[in-house]
Amino acid sequence: MAEALEGRRSRRTATLASLAAELGVSRTTVSNAYNRPDQLSPALRRRVLDTARRLGYPGPDPVARSLRTRKAGAVGLLLTEALSYAFRDPVAVQFLEGLALACEDNGSGLLLVPVSPEADDPGAVARAGVDGFVVYSMPDDDDNFHAVLERPVPVVVCDQPTAVPDVDRVGIDDHAAMVDMARHLAGLGHRRIGVLCMRLSTERNDGFASVERQQRARYEVQRRRLAGLREGFGEAGVDWSTVPVVERYDHSESAGASAAEQLLAQHDVTALVCTSDILALGALRHARQAGRSVPGDLSITGFDGVPAAERAELTTIRQPTLDKGRAAGELLLDRGDRQRSRTLLLPTELLARATSGPAREG
């Protein structure tokens, strides 16, 4: 095996011209075998490919081809997280799967372009060889997002930011979904509530978030979810200024557990409303380890509808995350002759499960 690999490395690489000469066909015929196979008979294409493999011809240069066609053959996914987040977070995984399905249907590749939320460096965006961008849940006024808008390629935003003219967007009504959750809990008698939320800004804060910080949050999805809770519980007479909200910069179950511990140590609440299932699952773990009955002593709710939430019988808002990814890809890749941008809002569903129940007395 080692000798074969060494021989392959040392062998002089064939070119399109030398391969065409070997076969006695035109260079166009060789090119068509790779780029337009429908132009050749199956037998001729197989002969070209077999000879190319024997002579060590690697195929047309993709860089030269992209320069010639001005097409990279790939979609860029911009997200403000470490690359591993796309494969670790269940919501991101579902979204990525949906986007990948749309790319597969179109014959396009997918390039992940992760950027740090703590440091704006638009260089990654400028270097990305893509035909368009799907922007996944970026904060307001992000330099990387503005760098995307400066590229002469189509852009689709998923979730946030929303106030971007002439850009397609896919999302849900986060505000209305959380109004429904607040009404559900208020209907069970809950008035003493606490909230655990995902990061509100690119500036790290692991602690209580004031009403002012909530209202000026750079992450619009979190801002809208908190506003929905404020409206829904306000209908039941709850003064939002008395509601403790604990923020976590990292999105993990351990972050949810520590946030629940911090809030419950200082406030006697009957319900914890979490702006994601991941935080809620961590809160549920802490509550049970602390000997609290759920939902007897404490109701806990989430948001997203990830598989782990179903297994835990968590009350949550289910959103069609995979459909979001597919829709974002289809909007980007199927441009047609549209002159106006489109906004697609997908439906959500309140799932009342075992972790929410009547508020305890006292």
Side-chain angles (χ1 to χ4, degrees):
M1 175 66 73
E3 292 179 358
L5 290 174
E6 182 61 32
R8 179 175 298 177
R9 284 195 295 266
S10 61
R11 184 170 56 196
R12 184 175 180 181
T13 302
T15 65
L16 185 145
S18 64
L19 177 59
E22 172 77 13
L23 289 162
V25 300
S26 69
R27 285 183 291 181
T28 299
T29 296
V30 174
S31 178
N32 285 342
Y34 292 90
N35 300 319
R36 302 178 66 189
D38 58 303
Q39 300 296 307
L40 305 182
S41 68
L44 177 56
R45 181 170 186 261
R46 173 51 53 196
R47 188 161 70 91
V48 171
L49 297 179
D50 288 346
T51 304
R53 189 177 301 109
R54 177 171 58 83
L55 296 180
Y57 176 63
D61 184 349
V63 175
R65 182 175 184 274
S66 66
L67 290 173
R68 182 173 64 255
T69 63
R70 302 188 68 81
K71 292 289 184 181
V75 168
L77 174 61
L78 183 69
L79 66 160
T80 53
E81 299 292 346
L83 182 60
S84 59
Y85 184 85
F87 303 95
R88 182 180 69 249
D89 181 83
V91 177
V93 168
Q94 289 179 338
F95 178 84
L96 188 60
E97 180 182 357
L99 179 57
L101 288 171
C103 290
E104 286 177 5
D105 291 343
N106 188 261
S108 297
L110 180 59
L111 175 67
L112 302 188
V113 187
V115 292
S116 170
E118 298 173 318
D120 290 331
D121 177 18
V125 171
R127 293 188 298 269
V130 297
D131 299 318
F133 282 96
V134 171
V135 176
Y136 183 55
S137 203
M138 301 284 287
D140 295 347
D141 300 323
D142 186 273
D143 285 349
N144 294 286
F145 179 57
H146 289 298
V148 164
L149 296 180
E150 291 173 357
R151 294 278 302 267
V153 295
V155 177
V156 174
V157 170
C158 180
D159 290 336
Q160 58 190 350
T162 61
V164 186
D166 302 322
V167 171
D168 290 340
R169 176 177 171 263
V170 177
I172 60 173
D173 192 335
D174 293 278
H175 182 278
M178 275 306 206
V179 169
D180 289 344
M181 180 62 79
R183 289 172 178 167
H184 167 68
L185 290 170
L188 292 171
H190 293 280
R191 300 296 184 272
R192 288 180 288 130
I193 61 166
V195 178
L196 309 184
C197 73
M198 295 169 63
R199 75 169 72 116
L200 300 176
S201 171
T202 54
E203 300 170 355
R204 179 177 286 272
N205 175 55
D206 291 310
F208 289 93
S210 66
V211 173
E212 179 185 5
R213 180 174 176 82
Q214 297 169 38
Q215 293 176 338
R216 58 182 173 83
R218 289 185 63 192
Y219 286 90
E220 189 172 353
V221 165
Q222 296 301 302
R223 192 167 68 236
R224 287 177 177 269
R225 291 181 187 179
L226 292 173
L229 292 174
R230 181 174 186 169
E231 178 181 325
F233 282 113
E235 295 174 354
V238 175
D239 180 356
W240 189 255
S241 66
T242 67
V243 175
V245 176
V246 171
E247 174 186 357
R248 280 296 182 266
Y249 189 86
D250 295 325
H251 188 223
S252 64
E253 286 192 27
S254 60
S258 68
E261 181 179 18
Q262 182 178 13
L263 191 149
L264 295 174
Q266 299 186 38
H267 297 273
D268 180 24
V269 299
T270 63
L272 274 181
V273 189
C274 305
T275 65
S276 80
D277 284 346
I278 296 300
L279 294 179
L281 291 168
L284 185 61
R285 184 181 70 193
H286 169 74
R288 288 173 173 166
Q289 289 176 346
R292 294 177 183 258
S293 170
V294 178
D297 297 329
L298 181 70
S299 288
I300 297 176
T301 67
F303 196 114
D304 288 326
V306 302
E310 182 177 1
R311 293 192 295 270
E313 298 186 84
L314 179 71
T315 292
T316 189
I317 299 289
R318 180 166 60 195
Q319 62 167 317
T321 309
L322 186 144
D323 291 341
K324 263 188 187 180
R326 184 191 284 274
E330 290 173 348
L331 277 177
L332 186 75
L333 294 165
D334 183 19
R335 307 303 297 177
D337 57 356
R338 289 188 284 119
Q339 299 299 316
R340 294 184 178 181
S341 60
R342 290 189 291 182
T343 296
L344 180 60
L345 290 182
L346 302 180
T348 60
E349 180 183 7
L350 171 62
L351 301 176
R353 296 191 181 119
T355 63
S356 61
R360 60 176 166 81
E361 298 180 1

